[in-house]
Amino acid sequence: YGPKSYFTDKLSEAELKAINPQELVDLIKGFASYKHGFFYYGPDSQKKVMKMLKKLKMPKTLKEVPAQVEYAELPMDKPTVYFADYDMVQAEFMLLAKDNVFDPSLLPVQTMFNSYYGAGMNSIVFQEVREARGLAYTAFAFVNNPYRKGLSDYIINYVGTQSDKMVASIELMKELLTNMPQSEQAFALSKEYVLNNIRSSRLTKSNIFWTYMWQKDMGVDTHFERNKFIFEQVEKMNLPDIQKFFDSHIKPARYSIILVGKRGKIDFNYLKRIADVKDIGLTELFGY
């Protein structure tokens, strides 16, 4: 998002100290004066619950909920290295790319890709980066969905390594994001993991409400059965399906590098050869 985001858009310490506590109490008391709804999960009938709700004292006219603050996503079409200096032994970096705007039809293949490629100890990334090469303390990769419709999916590839192994780790991750290793055995294990997770999951109690709200926020039909849809699609998938997704989404993506480490231990000559380097201070990141 750049300098203006939900993370940085906060009250300063001085602003916080200047707030009158009563102002905060009044804000809470005023919640019910805005347009809202109710969710009920329990044994009582709809008729009984409605009768109870009618007893609540409500304002004659409810106020509109204030519009949500919009933070514009950056295009991320020019790979950049974002570096933050921090006194630490290891170096942590992330290869981050912006994918397409969220599309629910991609959920099954994204779920399967995440399981096969980057999530968990049996994944391709973990096995290649840590187990086979010994380059990292930990490593993972996945496609991350946004929290509401109209926003983009992001491809996240994280490695925590020693500073002197940073270059080799980045080069290996770049290779893994260009050529996907194929293993029918790993794919079969990942597929069974996804299916068993869905088989053992149940949508009950307040999760019914939160799933409904997720579907509304994401612009998905409220009758959309997410787990059923993912299960039925994953059940039919094979390794070429993951390769197709990789070739159309992962391989052509433009990756920026987010890096945290001790300045004196980082090879900046290497970083400058692969992309523009932007030094971001901790004050810019956190506001203090």
Side-chain angles (χ1 to χ4, degrees):
Y1 292 96
K4 185 75 170 178
S5 71
Y6 65 91
F7 183 77
T8 58
D9 193 2
K10 302 174 181 177
L11 296 176
S12 67
E13 182 179 355
E15 289 171 324
L16 284 170
K17 288 182 175 180
I19 293 175
N20 184 328
Q22 187 60 46
E23 183 182 351
L24 304 180
V25 173
D26 292 341
L27 279 173
I28 295 172
K29 287 182 176 180
F31 283 171
S33 64
Y34 291 95
K35 290 184 177 179
H36 58 275
F38 294 92
F39 172 78
Y40 173 82
Y41 179 94
D44 292 326
S45 67
Q46 180 176 330
K47 185 177 180 180
K48 185 175 180 179
V49 174
M50 291 297 294
K51 186 177 179 180
M52 177 185 67
L53 291 178
K54 287 179 180 179
K55 296 179 180 179
L56 296 177
K57 294 181 179 180
M58 301 294 295
K60 290 183 178 181
T61 304
L62 293 173
K63 296 183 288 187
E64 293 288 339
V65 176
Q68 183 168 345
V69 177
E70 298 291 340
Y71 302 104
E73 294 181 310
L74 297 179
M76 290 191 70
D77 51 2
K78 183 183 179 183
T80 305
V81 176
Y82 298 94
F83 171 72
D85 180 27
Y86 197 77
D87 188 6
M88 56 194 288
V89 175
Q90 68 182 93
E92 299 184 65
F93 69 85
M94 185 186 300
L95 273 71
L96 178 70
K98 184 179 180 181
D99 197 18
N100 299 334
V101 171
F102 172 74
D103 178 358
S105 70
L106 292 177
L107 283 172
V109 71
Q110 287 175 341
T111 302
M112 192 60 231
F113 170 80
N114 289 349
S115 178
Y116 170 72
Y117 194 74
M121 297 179 67
N122 290 319
S123 68
I124 294 296
V125 165
F126 189 88
Q127 288 296 317
E128 288 289 329
V129 179
R130 173 171 167 153
E131 300 299 292
R133 313 290 180 94
L135 288 175
Y137 300 104
T138 188
F140 55 80
F142 61 96
V143 177
N144 185 61
N145 299 131
Y147 62 94
R148 61 185 175 89
K149 66 179 180 180
L151 299 178
S152 303
D153 293 326
Y154 283 83
I155 305 164
I156 297 172
N157 308 271
Y158 168 87
V159 176
T161 186
Q162 294 173 353
S163 298
D164 60 352
K165 294 181 178 179
M166 181 200 74
V167 173
S169 300
I170 291 177
E171 286 298 308
L172 177 55
M173 284 304 301
K174 287 166 63 179
E175 170 63 24
L176 292 175
L177 292 169
T178 304
N179 300 296
M180 187 184 81
Q182 298 204 11
S183 168
E184 288 290 351
Q185 182 181 8
F187 176 81
L189 287 171
S190 299
K191 182 175 181 177
E192 196 58 26
Y193 175 80
V194 170
L195 295 177
N196 282 339
N197 267 354
I198 297 177
R199 286 188 184 108
S200 60
S201 67
R202 297 291 183 272
L203 186 60
T204 61
K205 301 182 180 179
S206 61
N207 282 334
I208 296 173
F209 167 71
W210 294 118
T211 300
Y212 171 80
M213 292 304 296
W214 172 86
Q215 291 174 180
K216 285 191 68 176
D217 290 342
M218 299 302 287
V220 177
D221 189 301
T222 51
H223 293 95
F224 175 66
E225 295 183 60
R226 178 177 179 171
N227 279 355
K228 181 174 184 289
F229 176 62
I230 292 175
F231 187 94
E232 291 175 347
Q233 296 299 313
V234 167
E235 207 171 25
K236 298 181 288 187
M237 281 182 192
N238 50 40
L239 194 50
D241 294 318
I242 305 303
Q243 183 68 60
K244 183 179 178 182
F245 175 78
F246 182 92
D247 291 341
S248 59
H249 291 265
I250 309 302
K251 185 175 180 178
R254 295 173 178 265
Y255 293 92
S256 286
I257 298 176
I258 291 87
L259 171 64
V260 180
K262 191 171 183 178
R263 187 181 302 279
K265 295 184 177 181
I266 301 299
D267 187 344
F268 282 96
N269 291 327
Y270 164 76
L271 294 175
K272 290 175 181 177
R273 288 199 301 270
I274 60 176
D276 292 336
V277 178
K278 183 176 181 182
D279 202 320
I280 301 182
L282 297 183
T283 302
E284 185 179 351
L285 280 173
F286 299 110
Y288 58 88

